[in-house]
Amino acid sequence: MPRLKRTAFAMALAATALAGLPGCRPASIARATTPSTGGALAGASELPARRALARELYVAGVPLLARYAVVHARNIDRGGAEYQGPLNVLHWVTDSAESSRAEPGSTVSASLDLRAEPVVVRVPALPAERTYVLQLTDLQASVPAQISSRSTGNQAGDYLVVGPGWHGEVPVGIVDVIHADTTLVSVSGWVQGLDSDSARIQQTLQRGFQVKPLSRHLAIAPPPATLDDWPQPLPADMARHSALFFAQLEALLSFAPAQPGEVDIRQRLQQLEVTPRSTLAQAATRALREGMADGQREIDQRRAALSGCDAGDADAAHSDAITRACAAQRTSQEG
C-alpha cells in the first residue's frame, strides 16, 4: 500500500509551545532545541508569558481533549446516551432513504485501543463497482492512513495498526504497518451500497470488515490487560474556558507518549502550575483564560476562512495545529 503523508504532530506541538515566548528558537529547529527545566514562570513578564504559553498550548491541546471526549462518549462511557459499543469493535449504521448522503451505503466507526498491543484491520475483497473508505485519525487529529478503494484498491488485506514505541515482529501476510502517534485511534468509514443489495448481502459485506487485537489475529495468548482508568472528559464549556483544560491535557498525554528527540510538552505544562487541586493567583488564572480565548479566536478565524474545517478532509488533518484544532472541534460538535 502506498504510504500517505502523515503529520509529526508531537514536533508541531513542541514548536507551537515555544513559538509564542520571547527568545525562543524558530519552529523549524524545535526538534533540536534543549527542553526547559520546566520551572515556574516568574518575573515582570510572567503574566504576558503565561498568556502566550496558554494560547499555544490551548491550540495544540484542543484536538486531544475534543477527540478523546468523542471516544469516551462512544466507546467508554457505557451508561451514556451516545454509547455505541466497546473499543476494538466495528459499529455499523445502514444509511436510510432519508439520509443526506448522495449514495446509499453503510457508515462504520470504531475506536482502537493500542495500549496493550497492536490491532489488525481487515478489509475484504470487493467488486470494482463498490467503493469504500476507512480513515484512521489519532487523538491529535492527524491521519496516519486512509485505507480505501481509491488508495489501496479493492483487494482483500490485513493492516497492522501500531501505537508509539511498538517494535514487535510484523506477522506474515500483513499488507502494511500503520504507525499512530497516540494509543487511541478512531476509525470512520463508509461502504457503498448497490441497488441489488439485500439485507443478507449487507450483513455479509459488513462481516468482511474486521478489527481485532494482534493476539487474537495470531490465535495466541494476549498480553497483560491495561488498567481502564479513563479520565473523565471536561464538559464542553469548561474545555474552552476553564484553566482545568491544562490539567486534563496533561492527563491525556498518557495516550500520546513523547517521541525521542522532541521537546517534551509536559515540561512546558509544568510552567503553568495547573493541577486539578492547584490554587493560582487571580491574575495568573485570568492570564490563562485570556490565552485560551486568544487561541479560540485563532481557531474560529480559521474555521471562517476555510468554511468549516471539514473534519473528514485528510489534507486539512495534515495541516497546521490551528486547522487540526478546528477540525477536532467540529468532530466533537457533530458527534
PDB file of all heavy atoms in Angstrom, residues 103-142:
ATOM      1  N   GLU A 103     -25.287   8.861  -2.066  1.00  0.00           N
ATOM      2  CA  GLU A 103     -25.358   7.467  -2.473  1.00  0.00           C
ATOM      3  C   GLU A 103     -25.735   6.589  -1.282  1.00  0.00           C
ATOM      4  O   GLU A 103     -25.386   6.891  -0.151  1.00  0.00           O
ATOM      5  CB  GLU A 103     -24.010   6.996  -3.026  1.00  0.00           C
ATOM      6  CG  GLU A 103     -23.560   7.689  -4.290  1.00  0.00           C
ATOM      7  CD  GLU A 103     -22.220   7.160  -4.759  1.00  0.00           C
ATOM      8  OE1 GLU A 103     -21.200   7.661  -4.278  1.00  0.00           O
ATOM      9  OE2 GLU A 103     -22.196   6.242  -5.597  1.00  0.00           O
ATOM     10  N   PRO A 104     -26.435   5.485  -1.541  1.00  0.00           N
ATOM     11  CA  PRO A 104     -26.750   4.568  -0.437  1.00  0.00           C
ATOM     12  C   PRO A 104     -25.504   3.836   0.028  1.00  0.00           C
ATOM     13  O   PRO A 104     -24.536   3.681  -0.726  1.00  0.00           O
ATOM     14  CB  PRO A 104     -27.753   3.606  -1.082  1.00  0.00           C
ATOM     15  CG  PRO A 104     -27.391   3.603  -2.533  1.00  0.00           C
ATOM     16  CD  PRO A 104     -26.953   5.011  -2.829  1.00  0.00           C
ATOM     17  N   GLY A 105     -25.526   3.396   1.260  1.00  0.00           N
ATOM     18  CA  GLY A 105     -24.378   2.666   1.777  1.00  0.00           C
ATOM     19  C   GLY A 105     -24.474   2.504   3.276  1.00  0.00           C
ATOM     20  O   GLY A 105     -25.534   2.712   3.879  1.00  0.00           O
ATOM     21  N   SER A 106     -23.357   2.123   3.883  1.00  0.00           N
ATOM     22  CA  SER A 106     -23.293   1.919   5.332  1.00  0.00           C
ATOM     23  C   SER A 106     -22.105   2.683   5.892  1.00  0.00           C
ATOM     24  O   SER A 106     -21.015   2.677   5.311  1.00  0.00           O
ATOM     25  CB  SER A 106     -23.146   0.431   5.656  1.00  0.00           C
ATOM     26  OG  SER A 106     -24.245  -0.311   5.176  1.00  0.00           O
ATOM     27  N   THR A 107     -22.324   3.356   7.005  1.00  0.00           N
ATOM     28  CA  THR A 107     -21.241   4.033   7.695  1.00  0.00           C
ATOM     29  C   THR A 107     -20.755   3.139   8.833  1.00  0.00           C
ATOM     30  O   THR A 107     -21.515   2.355   9.402  1.00  0.00           O
ATOM     31  CB  THR A 107     -21.688   5.389   8.255  1.00  0.00           C
ATOM     32  OG1 THR A 107     -22.803   5.191   9.137  1.00  0.00           O
ATOM     33  CG2 THR A 107     -22.104   6.329   7.138  1.00  0.00           C
ATOM     34  N   VAL A 108     -19.483   3.284   9.169  1.00  0.00           N
ATOM     35  CA  VAL A 108     -18.886   2.444  10.203  1.00  0.00           C
ATOM     36  C   VAL A 108     -17.927   3.290  11.028  1.00  0.00           C
ATOM     37  O   VAL A 108     -17.309   4.232  10.518  1.00  0.00           O
ATOM     38  CB  VAL A 108     -18.141   1.235   9.579  1.00  0.00           C
ATOM     39  CG1 VAL A 108     -16.993   1.685   8.681  1.00  0.00           C
ATOM     40  CG2 VAL A 108     -17.660   0.279  10.655  1.00  0.00           C
ATOM     41  N   SER A 109     -17.850   2.976  12.314  1.00  0.00           N
ATOM     42  CA  SER A 109     -16.913   3.678  13.190  1.00  0.00           C
ATOM     43  C   SER A 109     -16.369   2.705  14.221  1.00  0.00           C
ATOM     44  O   SER A 109     -16.955   1.655  14.491  1.00  0.00           O
ATOM     45  CB  SER A 109     -17.587   4.869  13.887  1.00  0.00           C
ATOM     46  OG  SER A 109     -18.626   4.413  14.747  1.00  0.00           O
ATOM     47  N   ALA A 110     -15.226   3.059  14.790  1.00  0.00           N
ATOM     48  CA  ALA A 110     -14.606   2.248  15.840  1.00  0.00           C
ATOM     49  C   ALA A 110     -13.556   3.094  16.524  1.00  0.00           C
ATOM     50  O   ALA A 110     -13.094   4.111  15.990  1.00  0.00           O
ATOM     51  CB  ALA A 110     -13.973   0.979  15.266  1.00  0.00           C
ATOM     52  N   SER A 111     -13.185   2.682  17.724  1.00  0.00           N
ATOM     53  CA  SER A 111     -12.049   3.270  18.427  1.00  0.00           C
ATOM     54  C   SER A 111     -11.082   2.146  18.748  1.00  0.00           C
ATOM     55  O   SER A 111     -11.467   1.146  19.371  1.00  0.00           O
ATOM     56  CB  SER A 111     -12.489   3.970  19.718  1.00  0.00           C
ATOM     57  OG  SER A 111     -13.326   5.075  19.430  1.00  0.00           O
ATOM     58  N   LEU A 112      -9.838   2.289  18.308  1.00  0.00           N
ATOM     59  CA  LEU A 112      -8.823   1.259  18.502  1.00  0.00           C
ATOM     60  C   LEU A 112      -7.995   1.588  19.736  1.00  0.00           C
ATOM     61  O   LEU A 112      -7.480   2.699  19.875  1.00  0.00           O
ATOM     62  CB  LEU A 112      -7.911   1.167  17.278  1.00  0.00           C
ATOM     63  CG  LEU A 112      -8.599   1.008  15.918  1.00  0.00           C
ATOM     64  CD1 LEU A 112      -7.562   0.856  14.822  1.00  0.00           C
ATOM     65  CD2 LEU A 112      -9.585  -0.153  15.928  1.00  0.00           C
ATOM     66  N   ASP A 113      -7.867   0.618  20.638  1.00  0.00           N
ATOM     67  CA  ASP A 113      -7.067   0.757  21.848  1.00  0.00           C
ATOM     68  C   ASP A 113      -5.746   0.034  21.613  1.00  0.00           C
ATOM     69  O   ASP A 113      -5.693  -1.198  21.562  1.00  0.00           O
ATOM     70  CB  ASP A 113      -7.815   0.146  23.032  1.00  0.00           C
ATOM     71  CG  ASP A 113      -7.064   0.294  24.351  1.00  0.00           C
ATOM     72  OD1 ASP A 113      -5.968   0.897  24.356  1.00  0.00           O
ATOM     73  OD2 ASP A 113      -7.568  -0.205  25.380  1.00  0.00           O
ATOM     74  N   LEU A 114      -4.666   0.807  21.451  1.00  0.00           N
ATOM     75  CA  LEU A 114      -3.356   0.252  21.120  1.00  0.00           C
ATOM     76  C   LEU A 114      -2.433   0.199  22.323  1.00  0.00           C
ATOM     77  O   LEU A 114      -1.231  -0.042  22.174  1.00  0.00           O
ATOM     78  CB  LEU A 114      -2.697   1.093  20.019  1.00  0.00           C
ATOM     79  CG  LEU A 114      -3.533   1.355  18.767  1.00  0.00           C
ATOM     80  CD1 LEU A 114      -2.781   2.280  17.813  1.00  0.00           C
ATOM     81  CD2 LEU A 114      -3.904   0.057  18.075  1.00  0.00           C
ATOM     82  N   ARG A 115      -2.953   0.381  23.522  1.00  0.00           N
ATOM     83  CA  ARG A 115      -2.087   0.465  24.704  1.00  0.00           C
ATOM     84  C   ARG A 115      -1.387  -0.855  24.980  1.00  0.00           C
ATOM     85  O   ARG A 115      -0.182  -0.887  25.262  1.00  0.00           O
ATOM     86  CB  ARG A 115      -2.898   0.898  25.923  1.00  0.00           C
ATOM     87  CG  ARG A 115      -3.457   2.311  25.838  1.00  0.00           C
ATOM     88  CD  ARG A 115      -4.357   2.607  27.028  1.00  0.00           C
ATOM     89  NE  ARG A 115      -5.472   1.667  27.086  1.00  0.00           N
ATOM     90  CZ  ARG A 115      -6.193   1.433  28.176  1.00  0.00           C
ATOM     91  NH1 ARG A 115      -5.918   2.067  29.296  1.00  0.00           N
ATOM     92  NH2 ARG A 115      -7.199   0.573  28.133  1.00  0.00           N
ATOM     93  N   ALA A 116      -2.099  -1.968  24.913  1.00  0.00           N
ATOM     94  CA  ALA A 116      -1.519  -3.265  25.248  1.00  0.00           C
ATOM     95  C   ALA A 116      -0.861  -3.927  24.047  1.00  0.00           C
ATOM     96  O   ALA A 116       0.174  -4.598  24.188  1.00  0.00           O
ATOM     97  CB  ALA A 116      -2.592  -4.188  25.831  1.00  0.00           C
ATOM     98  N   GLU A 117      -1.430  -3.745  22.866  1.00  0.00           N
ATOM     99  CA  GLU A 117      -0.921  -4.421  21.675  1.00  0.00           C
ATOM    100  C   GLU A 117      -1.511  -3.767  20.430  1.00  0.00           C
ATOM    101  O   GLU A 117      -2.515  -3.055  20.505  1.00  0.00           O
ATOM    102  CB  GLU A 117      -1.265  -5.902  21.699  1.00  0.00           C
ATOM    103  CG  GLU A 117      -2.769  -6.193  21.744  1.00  0.00           C
ATOM    104  CD  GLU A 117      -3.078  -7.672  21.713  1.00  0.00           C
ATOM    105  OE1 GLU A 117      -2.402  -8.412  20.967  1.00  0.00           O
ATOM    106  OE2 GLU A 117      -4.000  -8.096  22.446  1.00  0.00           O
ATOM    107  N   PRO A 118      -0.899  -4.033  19.258  1.00  0.00           N
ATOM    108  CA  PRO A 118      -1.453  -3.510  18.010  1.00  0.00           C
ATOM    109  C   PRO A 118      -2.803  -4.146  17.681  1.00  0.00           C
ATOM    110  O   PRO A 118      -3.212  -5.137  18.285  1.00  0.00           O
ATOM    111  CB  PRO A 118      -0.395  -3.903  16.965  1.00  0.00           C
ATOM    112  CG  PRO A 118       0.857  -4.134  17.742  1.00  0.00           C
ATOM    113  CD  PRO A 118       0.407  -4.680  19.067  1.00  0.00           C
ATOM    114  N   VAL A 119      -3.458  -3.552  16.699  1.00  0.00           N
ATOM    115  CA  VAL A 119      -4.753  -4.040  16.226  1.00  0.00           C
ATOM    116  C   VAL A 119      -4.660  -4.273  14.722  1.00  0.00           C
ATOM    117  O   VAL A 119      -4.045  -3.485  13.996  1.00  0.00           O
ATOM    118  CB  VAL A 119      -5.872  -3.028  16.552  1.00  0.00           C
ATOM    119  CG1 VAL A 119      -7.171  -3.399  15.852  1.00  0.00           C
ATOM    120  CG2 VAL A 119      -6.095  -2.957  18.064  1.00  0.00           C
ATOM    121  N   VAL A 120      -5.268  -5.348  14.260  1.00  0.00           N
ATOM    122  CA  VAL A 120      -5.303  -5.668  12.838  1.00  0.00           C
ATOM    123  C   VAL A 120      -6.635  -5.218  12.257  1.00  0.00           C
ATOM    124  O   VAL A 120      -7.701  -5.547  12.797  1.00  0.00           O
ATOM    125  CB  VAL A 120      -5.104  -7.182  12.597  1.00  0.00           C
ATOM    126  CG1 VAL A 120      -5.256  -7.505  11.109  1.00  0.00           C
ATOM    127  CG2 VAL A 120      -3.747  -7.630  13.111  1.00  0.00           C
ATOM    128  N   VAL A 121      -6.579  -4.446  11.179  1.00  0.00           N
ATOM    129  CA  VAL A 121      -7.774  -4.037  10.437  1.00  0.00           C
ATOM    130  C   VAL A 121      -7.822  -4.858   9.157  1.00  0.00           C
ATOM    131  O   VAL A 121      -6.892  -4.821   8.356  1.00  0.00           O
ATOM    132  CB  VAL A 121      -7.739  -2.532  10.101  1.00  0.00           C
ATOM    133  CG1 VAL A 121      -8.948  -2.151   9.237  1.00  0.00           C
ATOM    134  CG2 VAL A 121      -7.706  -1.698  11.368  1.00  0.00           C
ATOM    135  N   ARG A 122      -8.901  -5.611   8.978  1.00  0.00           N
ATOM    136  CA  ARG A 122      -9.043  -6.463   7.789  1.00  0.00           C
ATOM    137  C   ARG A 122     -10.128  -5.899   6.892  1.00  0.00           C
ATOM    138  O   ARG A 122     -11.221  -5.548   7.342  1.00  0.00           O
ATOM    139  CB  ARG A 122      -9.393  -7.885   8.193  1.00  0.00           C
ATOM    140  CG  ARG A 122      -9.817  -8.800   7.036  1.00  0.00           C
ATOM    141  CD  ARG A 122      -9.918 -10.244   7.471  1.00  0.00           C
ATOM    142  NE  ARG A 122      -8.605 -10.784   7.805  1.00  0.00           N
ATOM    143  CZ  ARG A 122      -8.395 -12.018   8.268  1.00  0.00           C
ATOM    144  NH1 ARG A 122      -9.434 -12.830   8.465  1.00  0.00           N
ATOM    145  NH2 ARG A 122      -7.178 -12.429   8.545  1.00  0.00           N
ATOM    146  N   VAL A 123      -9.810  -5.802   5.600  1.00  0.00           N
ATOM    147  CA  VAL A 123     -10.817  -5.419   4.604  1.00  0.00           C
ATOM    148  C   VAL A 123     -10.990  -6.578   3.632  1.00  0.00           C
ATOM    149  O   VAL A 123     -10.026  -7.272   3.291  1.00  0.00           O
ATOM    150  CB  VAL A 123     -10.407  -4.133   3.851  1.00  0.00           C
ATOM    151  CG1 VAL A 123     -10.304  -2.960   4.800  1.00  0.00           C
ATOM    152  CG2 VAL A 123      -9.086  -4.321   3.116  1.00  0.00           C
ATOM    153  N   PRO A 124     -12.207  -6.829   3.177  1.00  0.00           N
ATOM    154  CA  PRO A 124     -12.453  -7.942   2.253  1.00  0.00           C
ATOM    155  C   PRO A 124     -12.217  -7.532   0.805  1.00  0.00           C
ATOM    156  O   PRO A 124     -12.114  -6.345   0.489  1.00  0.00           O
ATOM    157  CB  PRO A 124     -13.931  -8.250   2.497  1.00  0.00           C
ATOM    158  CG  PRO A 124     -14.519  -6.901   2.795  1.00  0.00           C
ATOM    159  CD  PRO A 124     -13.455  -6.149   3.567  1.00  0.00           C
ATOM    160  N   ALA A 125     -12.155  -8.516  -0.068  1.00  0.00           N
ATOM    161  CA  ALA A 125     -12.126  -8.241  -1.497  1.00  0.00           C
ATOM    162  C   ALA A 125     -13.512  -7.765  -1.923  1.00  0.00           C
ATOM    163  O   ALA A 125     -14.529  -8.333  -1.518  1.00  0.00           O
ATOM    164  CB  ALA A 125     -11.728  -9.489  -2.273  1.00  0.00           C
ATOM    165  N   LEU A 126     -13.556  -6.714  -2.713  1.00  0.00           N
ATOM    166  CA  LEU A 126     -14.833  -6.138  -3.156  1.00  0.00           C
ATOM    167  C   LEU A 126     -14.842  -6.017  -4.672  1.00  0.00           C
ATOM    168  O   LEU A 126     -13.786  -5.828  -5.303  1.00  0.00           O
ATOM    169  CB  LEU A 126     -15.040  -4.756  -2.530  1.00  0.00           C
ATOM    170  CG  LEU A 126     -15.152  -4.683  -1.002  1.00  0.00           C
ATOM    171  CD1 LEU A 126     -15.238  -3.237  -0.556  1.00  0.00           C
ATOM    172  CD2 LEU A 126     -16.364  -5.464  -0.517  1.00  0.00           C
ATOM    173  N   PRO A 127     -16.008  -6.092  -5.285  1.00  0.00           N
ATOM    174  CA  PRO A 127     -16.079  -5.880  -6.736  1.00  0.00           C
ATOM    175  C   PRO A 127     -15.686  -4.450  -7.093  1.00  0.00           C
ATOM    176  O   PRO A 127     -15.819  -3.533  -6.287  1.00  0.00           O
ATOM    177  CB  PRO A 127     -17.548  -6.165  -7.052  1.00  0.00           C
ATOM    178  CG  PRO A 127     -18.274  -5.955  -5.762  1.00  0.00           C
ATOM    179  CD  PRO A 127     -17.323  -6.379  -4.689  1.00  0.00           C
ATOM    180  N   ALA A 128     -15.231  -4.275  -8.307  1.00  0.00           N
ATOM    181  CA  ALA A 128     -14.708  -2.981  -8.731  1.00  0.00           C
ATOM    182  C   ALA A 128     -15.737  -1.867  -8.639  1.00  0.00           C
ATOM    183  O   ALA A 128     -15.380  -0.697  -8.431  1.00  0.00           O
ATOM    184  CB  ALA A 128     -14.178  -3.091 -10.164  1.00  0.00           C
ATOM    185  N   GLU A 129     -17.028  -2.211  -8.781  1.00  0.00           N
ATOM    186  CA  GLU A 129     -18.059  -1.160  -8.778  1.00  0.00           C
ATOM    187  C   GLU A 129     -18.423  -0.686  -7.372  1.00  0.00           C
ATOM    188  O   GLU A 129     -19.169   0.273  -7.226  1.00  0.00           O
ATOM    189  CB  GLU A 129     -19.328  -1.649  -9.478  1.00  0.00           C
ATOM    190  CG  GLU A 129     -20.039  -2.812  -8.802  1.00  0.00           C
ATOM    191  CD  GLU A 129     -19.549  -4.174  -9.264  1.00  0.00           C
ATOM    192  OE1 GLU A 129     -18.435  -4.234  -9.834  1.00  0.00           O
ATOM    193  OE2 GLU A 129     -20.275  -5.165  -9.069  1.00  0.00           O
ATOM    194  N   ARG A 130     -17.878  -1.330  -6.340  1.00  0.00           N
ATOM    195  CA  ARG A 130     -18.216  -0.930  -4.969  1.00  0.00           C
ATOM    196  C   ARG A 130     -17.034  -0.190  -4.346  1.00  0.00           C
ATOM    197  O   ARG A 130     -15.923  -0.717  -4.291  1.00  0.00           O
ATOM    198  CB  ARG A 130     -18.577  -2.142  -4.112  1.00  0.00           C
ATOM    199  CG  ARG A 130     -19.300  -1.757  -2.821  1.00  0.00           C
ATOM    200  CD  ARG A 130     -19.508  -2.956  -1.925  1.00  0.00           C
ATOM    201  NE  ARG A 130     -20.367  -3.984  -2.453  1.00  0.00           N
ATOM    202  CZ  ARG A 130     -21.683  -4.041  -2.270  1.00  0.00           C
ATOM    203  NH1 ARG A 130     -22.304  -3.083  -1.599  1.00  0.00           N
ATOM    204  NH2 ARG A 130     -22.390  -5.042  -2.772  1.00  0.00           N
ATOM    205  N   THR A 131     -17.266   1.015  -3.870  1.00  0.00           N
ATOM    206  CA  THR A 131     -16.200   1.801  -3.262  1.00  0.00           C
ATOM    207  C   THR A 131     -16.335   1.794  -1.738  1.00  0.00           C
ATOM    208  O   THR A 131     -17.414   1.581  -1.198  1.00  0.00           O
ATOM    209  CB  THR A 131     -16.224   3.259  -3.754  1.00  0.00           C
ATOM    210  OG1 THR A 131     -17.480   3.857  -3.396  1.00  0.00           O
ATOM    211  CG2 THR A 131     -16.058   3.319  -5.265  1.00  0.00           C
ATOM    212  N   TYR A 132     -15.215   2.027  -1.070  1.00  0.00           N
ATOM    213  CA  TYR A 132     -15.227   2.104   0.391  1.00  0.00           C
ATOM    214  C   TYR A 132     -14.067   2.987   0.838  1.00  0.00           C
ATOM    215  O   TYR A 132     -13.105   3.224   0.091  1.00  0.00           O
ATOM    216  CB  TYR A 132     -15.098   0.712   1.017  1.00  0.00           C
ATOM    217  CG  TYR A 132     -13.687   0.177   1.039  1.00  0.00           C
ATOM    218  CD1 TYR A 132     -12.874   0.317   2.173  1.00  0.00           C
ATOM    219  CD2 TYR A 132     -13.134  -0.452  -0.080  1.00  0.00           C
ATOM    220  CE1 TYR A 132     -11.568  -0.144   2.181  1.00  0.00           C
ATOM    221  CE2 TYR A 132     -11.842  -0.928  -0.075  1.00  0.00           C
ATOM    222  CZ  TYR A 132     -11.055  -0.775   1.052  1.00  0.00           C
ATOM    223  OH  TYR A 132      -9.765  -1.236   1.056  1.00  0.00           O
ATOM    224  N   VAL A 133     -14.143   3.458   2.070  1.00  0.00           N
ATOM    225  CA  VAL A 133     -13.056   4.222   2.671  1.00  0.00           C
ATOM    226  C   VAL A 133     -13.076   4.006   4.172  1.00  0.00           C
ATOM    227  O   VAL A 133     -14.136   4.006   4.803  1.00  0.00           O
ATOM    228  CB  VAL A 133     -13.171   5.736   2.339  1.00  0.00           C
ATOM    229  CG1 VAL A 133     -14.484   6.314   2.832  1.00  0.00           C
ATOM    230  CG2 VAL A 133     -11.994   6.502   2.943  1.00  0.00           C
ATOM    231  N   LEU A 134     -11.906   3.767   4.739  1.00  0.00           N
ATOM    232  CA  LEU A 134     -11.710   3.715   6.187  1.00  0.00           C
ATOM    233  C   LEU A 134     -10.606   4.704   6.516  1.00  0.00           C
ATOM    234  O   LEU A 134      -9.465   4.536   6.074  1.00  0.00           O
ATOM    235  CB  LEU A 134     -11.297   2.308   6.654  1.00  0.00           C
ATOM    236  CG  LEU A 134     -12.285   1.162   6.462  1.00  0.00           C
ATOM    237  CD1 LEU A 134     -11.657  -0.138   6.941  1.00  0.00           C
ATOM    238  CD2 LEU A 134     -13.584   1.436   7.216  1.00  0.00           C
ATOM    239  N   GLN A 135     -10.936   5.741   7.263  1.00  0.00           N
ATOM    240  CA  GLN A 135      -9.935   6.733   7.647  1.00  0.00           C
ATOM    241  C   GLN A 135      -9.577   6.569   9.113  1.00  0.00           C
ATOM    242  O   GLN A 135     -10.452   6.492   9.968  1.00  0.00           O
ATOM    243  CB  GLN A 135     -10.439   8.151   7.394  1.00  0.00           C
ATOM    244  CG  GLN A 135      -9.420   9.223   7.807  1.00  0.00           C
ATOM    245  CD  GLN A 135      -9.759  10.580   7.253  1.00  0.00           C
ATOM    246  OE1 GLN A 135      -9.787  10.788   6.044  1.00  0.00           O
ATOM    247  NE2 GLN A 135     -10.030  11.533   8.130  1.00  0.00           N
ATOM    248  N   LEU A 136      -8.289   6.514   9.401  1.00  0.00           N
ATOM    249  CA  LEU A 136      -7.786   6.418  10.764  1.00  0.00           C
ATOM    250  C   LEU A 136      -7.314   7.796  11.204  1.00  0.00           C
ATOM    251  O   LEU A 136      -6.549   8.456  10.484  1.00  0.00           O
ATOM    252  CB  LEU A 136      -6.635   5.413  10.851  1.00  0.00           C
ATOM    253  CG  LEU A 136      -7.028   3.930  10.891  1.00  0.00           C
ATOM    254  CD1 LEU A 136      -7.578   3.469   9.549  1.00  0.00           C
ATOM    255  CD2 LEU A 136      -5.828   3.071  11.281  1.00  0.00           C
ATOM    256  N   THR A 137      -7.771   8.230  12.361  1.00  0.00           N
ATOM    257  CA  THR A 137      -7.414   9.542  12.893  1.00  0.00           C
ATOM    258  C   THR A 137      -7.014   9.379  14.343  1.00  0.00           C
ATOM    259  O   THR A 137      -7.744   8.767  15.125  1.00  0.00           O
ATOM    260  CB  THR A 137      -8.599  10.521  12.800  1.00  0.00           C
ATOM    261  OG1 THR A 137      -9.103  10.525  11.460  1.00  0.00           O
ATOM    262  CG2 THR A 137      -8.169  11.928  13.176  1.00  0.00           C
ATOM    263  N   ASP A 138      -5.855   9.916  14.723  1.00  0.00           N
ATOM    264  CA  ASP A 138      -5.415   9.752  16.105  1.00  0.00           C
ATOM    265  C   ASP A 138      -5.970  10.870  16.984  1.00  0.00           C
ATOM    266  O   ASP A 138      -6.697  11.749  16.516  1.00  0.00           O
ATOM    267  CB  ASP A 138      -3.890   9.635  16.198  1.00  0.00           C
ATOM    268  CG  ASP A 138      -3.148  10.904  15.791  1.00  0.00           C
ATOM    269  OD1 ASP A 138      -3.752  12.002  15.833  1.00  0.00           O
ATOM    270  OD2 ASP A 138      -1.954  10.815  15.441  1.00  0.00           O
ATOM    271  N   LEU A 139      -5.628  10.840  18.261  1.00  0.00           N
ATOM    272  CA  LEU A 139      -6.169  11.838  19.193  1.00  0.00           C
ATOM    273  C   LEU A 139      -5.663  13.240  18.898  1.00  0.00           C
ATOM    274  O   LEU A 139      -6.216  14.212  19.407  1.00  0.00           O
ATOM    275  CB  LEU A 139      -5.798  11.471  20.638  1.00  0.00           C
ATOM    276  CG  LEU A 139      -6.557  10.314  21.297  1.00  0.00           C
ATOM    277  CD1 LEU A 139      -6.184  10.222  22.767  1.00  0.00           C
ATOM    278  CD2 LEU A 139      -8.065  10.469  21.145  1.00  0.00           C
ATOM    279  N   GLN A 140      -4.616  13.348  18.099  1.00  0.00           N
ATOM    280  CA  GLN A 140      -4.057  14.656  17.799  1.00  0.00           C
ATOM    281  C   GLN A 140      -4.570  15.200  16.474  1.00  0.00           C
ATOM    282  O   GLN A 140      -4.045  16.169  15.943  1.00  0.00           O
ATOM    283  CB  GLN A 140      -2.527  14.559  17.814  1.00  0.00           C
ATOM    284  CG  GLN A 140      -2.007  14.184  19.198  1.00  0.00           C
ATOM    285  CD  GLN A 140      -0.608  13.595  19.176  1.00  0.00           C
ATOM    286  OE1 GLN A 140      -0.154  13.035  18.182  1.00  0.00           O
ATOM    287  NE2 GLN A 140       0.092  13.706  20.281  1.00  0.00           N
ATOM    288  N   ALA A 141      -5.623  14.545  15.944  1.00  0.00           N
ATOM    289  CA  ALA A 141      -6.276  14.959  14.696  1.00  0.00           C
ATOM    290  C   ALA A 141      -5.372  14.800  13.493  1.00  0.00           C
ATOM    291  O   ALA A 141      -5.605  15.414  12.450  1.00  0.00           O
ATOM    292  CB  ALA A 141      -6.814  16.394  14.786  1.00  0.00           C
ATOM    293  N   SER A 142      -4.321  13.992  13.607  1.00  0.00           N
ATOM    294  CA  SER A 142      -3.514  13.615  12.455  1.00  0.00           C
ATOM    295  C   SER A 142      -4.093  12.341  11.855  1.00  0.00           C
ATOM    296  O   SER A 142      -4.742  11.546  12.542  1.00  0.00           O
ATOM    297  CB  SER A 142      -2.058  13.373  12.871  1.00  0.00           C
ATOM    298  OG  SER A 142      -1.449  14.578  13.289  1.00  0.00           O
TER     299      SER A 142
END
